[in-house]
Coordinates of all heavy atoms in Angstrom, one line a residue:
A14 N 27.5 140.7 22.4 CA 28.0 142.0 22.7 C 29.2 141.8 23.6 O 29.6 140.6 23.9 CB 27.0 142.7 23.6
Q15 N 29.9 142.8 24.0 CA 30.9 142.7 25.0 C 30.3 142.5 26.4 O 29.1 142.8 26.6 CB 31.8 143.9 24.9 CG 32.4 144.4 23.6 CD 33.3 143.3 22.9 OE1 33.6 142.2 23.5 NE2 33.7 143.5 21.7
P16 N 31.1 142.1 27.4 CA 30.5 141.9 28.7 C 30.0 143.0 29.5 O 29.3 142.9 30.5 CB 31.7 141.1 29.4 CG 32.5 140.5 28.4 CD 32.4 141.6 27.3
F17 N 30.5 144.3 29.1 CA 30.0 145.5 29.8 C 29.6 146.5 28.8 O 29.9 146.5 27.5 CB 31.2 146.1 30.6 CG 31.4 145.4 31.9 CD1 32.4 144.5 32.1 CD2 30.5 145.5 33.0 CE1 32.7 143.8 33.3 CE2 30.8 144.8 34.3 CZ 31.9 144.1 34.4
C18 N 28.9 147.6 29.4 CA 28.3 148.5 28.6 C 29.1 149.3 27.6 O 28.9 149.4 26.4 CB 27.6 149.6 29.6 SG 26.7 149.0 30.8
S19 N 30.2 150.0 28.2 CA 31.0 150.8 27.3 C 31.8 150.2 26.3 O 32.0 150.6 25.2 CB 31.9 151.8 28.2 OG 32.5 151.1 29.1
P20 N 32.4 148.9 26.6 CA 33.0 148.3 25.5 C 32.2 147.9 24.4 O 32.6 147.9 23.2 CB 33.6 147.0 26.2 CG 33.8 147.4 27.6 CD 32.6 148.3 27.9
T21 N 30.9 147.5 24.7 CA 29.9 147.3 23.6 C 29.7 148.5 22.7 O 29.6 148.4 21.5 CB 28.6 146.7 24.1 OG1 28.8 145.4 24.6 CG2 27.5 146.7 23.1
R22 N 29.4 149.6 23.5 CA 29.1 150.9 22.7 C 30.2 151.3 21.8 O 30.0 151.7 20.6 CB 28.7 152.0 23.7 CG 27.3 151.6 24.4 CD 27.2 152.4 25.7 NE 26.3 151.6 26.6 CZ 25.0 151.7 26.6 NH1 24.4 152.7 25.8 NH2 24.2 151.1 27.3
A23 N 31.5 151.1 22.3 CA 32.6 151.4 21.5 C 32.8 150.5 20.3 O 33.2 150.9 19.2 CB 33.9 151.4 22.4
S24 N 32.4 149.2 20.5 CA 32.4 148.3 19.4 C 31.4 148.6 18.3 O 31.6 148.5 17.1 CB 32.1 146.8 19.8 OG 33.3 146.4 20.4
I25 N 30.2 149.1 18.7 CA 29.2 149.5 17.8 C 29.6 150.8 17.0 O 29.5 150.9 15.8 CB 27.8 149.9 18.5 CG1 27.3 148.6 19.1 CG2 26.9 150.6 17.5 CD1 26.0 148.9 20.0
L26 N 30.2 151.7 17.7 CA 30.5 153.0 17.0 C 31.8 152.8 16.1 O 31.9 153.6 15.1 CB 30.9 154.0 18.2 CG 31.1 155.4 17.7 CD1 29.7 156.0 17.2 CD2 31.7 156.3 18.8
T27 N 32.7 151.9 16.5 CA 33.9 151.9 15.8 C 34.1 150.7 14.8 O 34.9 150.6 14.0 CB 35.2 151.9 16.7 OG1 35.1 150.6 17.4 CG2 35.2 153.1 17.6
G28 N 33.2 149.7 15.1 CA 33.3 148.4 14.3 C 34.5 147.6 14.7 O 34.9 146.6 13.9
L29 N 35.0 147.7 15.9 CA 36.3 147.1 16.3 C 36.0 146.2 17.5 O 35.0 146.4 18.3 CB 37.3 148.1 16.7 CG 37.8 149.1 15.4 CD1 38.8 150.1 16.0 CD2 38.3 148.2 14.3
N30 N 37.0 145.3 17.8 CA 37.0 144.5 19.0 C 37.8 145.3 20.1 O 38.3 146.3 19.9 CB 37.7 143.2 18.8 CG 37.0 142.3 17.9 OD1 35.8 142.1 18.1 ND2 37.6 141.5 17.0
V31 N 37.6 144.8 21.3 CA 38.1 145.6 22.5 C 39.6 145.8 22.3 O 40.1 146.9 22.6 CB 37.8 144.8 23.8 CG1 38.6 145.3 25.0 CG2 36.4 144.8 24.0
R32 N 40.4 144.8 21.9 CA 41.9 145.0 21.9 C 42.1 146.1 20.9 O 43.1 146.9 21.0 CB 42.6 143.7 21.4 CG 44.1 143.9 21.3 CD 44.7 142.5 21.1 NE 46.2 142.7 21.0 CZ 46.8 142.8 19.8 NH1 46.1 142.9 18.8 NH2 48.1 142.9 19.8
Q33 N 41.3 146.3 19.8 CA 41.5 147.4 18.8 C 41.0 148.8 19.3 O 41.8 149.7 19.2 CB 40.7 147.0 17.6 CG 41.2 145.8 16.8 CD 40.4 145.4 15.7 OE1 39.2 145.1 15.9 NE2 40.8 145.5 14.5
H34 N 39.9 148.8 19.9 CA 39.5 150.2 20.4 C 39.9 150.6 21.7 O 39.9 151.8 22.1 CB 38.0 150.3 20.2 CG 37.0 149.4 21.0 ND1 37.1 149.4 22.4 CD2 36.0 148.6 20.7 CE1 36.2 148.5 22.8 NE2 35.6 148.1 21.8
G35 N 40.4 149.7 22.6 CA 41.0 150.0 23.8 C 40.1 150.3 25.1 O 40.5 150.6 26.1
V36 N 38.7 150.1 24.8 CA 37.8 150.3 25.9 C 37.6 148.9 26.5 O 36.6 148.2 26.2 CB 36.6 150.9 25.5 CG1 35.5 151.1 26.6 CG2 36.8 152.3 24.7
A37 N 38.4 148.5 27.5 CA 38.3 147.1 28.0 C 37.5 147.1 29.3 O 37.0 146.0 29.7 CB 39.7 146.7 28.3
T38 N 37.3 148.2 30.0 CA 36.5 148.3 31.3 C 35.4 149.2 31.0 O 35.4 150.1 30.1 CB 37.4 148.6 32.5 OG1 37.5 150.1 32.5 CG2 38.8 148.0 32.4
Y39 N 34.4 149.3 32.1 CA 33.3 150.3 32.0 C 33.9 151.7 32.4 O 33.0 152.6 32.3 CB 32.2 149.9 32.9 CG 32.6 149.6 34.4 CD1 32.8 150.6 35.3 CD2 32.6 148.2 34.8 CE1 33.2 150.3 36.5 CE2 33.0 147.9 36.2 CZ 33.3 148.9 37.0 OH 33.6 148.7 38.3
A40 N 35.1 151.8 32.8 CA 35.7 153.1 33.2 C 36.5 153.7 32.1 O 36.9 154.8 32.2 CB 36.5 153.1 34.5
D41 N 36.9 153.0 31.0 CA 37.8 153.4 30.0 C 37.2 154.3 29.1 O 35.9 154.3 28.9 CB 38.4 152.2 29.2 CG 39.3 151.3 30.0 OD1 39.8 151.8 31.0 OD2 39.5 150.1 29.6
A42 N 38.0 155.2 28.5 CA 37.5 156.3 27.6 C 37.9 155.9 26.2 O 39.0 155.5 25.9 CB 38.1 157.6 27.9
L43 N 37.0 156.0 25.3 CA 37.3 155.8 23.8 C 38.1 157.0 23.3 O 37.6 158.3 23.4 CB 36.0 155.7 23.0 CG 36.2 155.4 21.5 CD1 36.9 154.2 21.2 CD2 34.8 155.4 20.8
D44 N 39.3 156.8 22.7 CA 40.0 158.0 22.2 C 39.5 158.7 21.0 O 38.8 157.9 20.2 CB 41.4 157.5 21.8 CG 42.4 158.6 21.6 OD1 42.8 159.3 22.7 OD2 42.6 159.0 20.4

């Protein structure tokens, strides 16, 4: 998984890595 909650959830939902979906921290928002 990713090291934090929201980057992982964004990867599940979008099928992308962090650099692609942009959710790098637990405070970032998925566009």
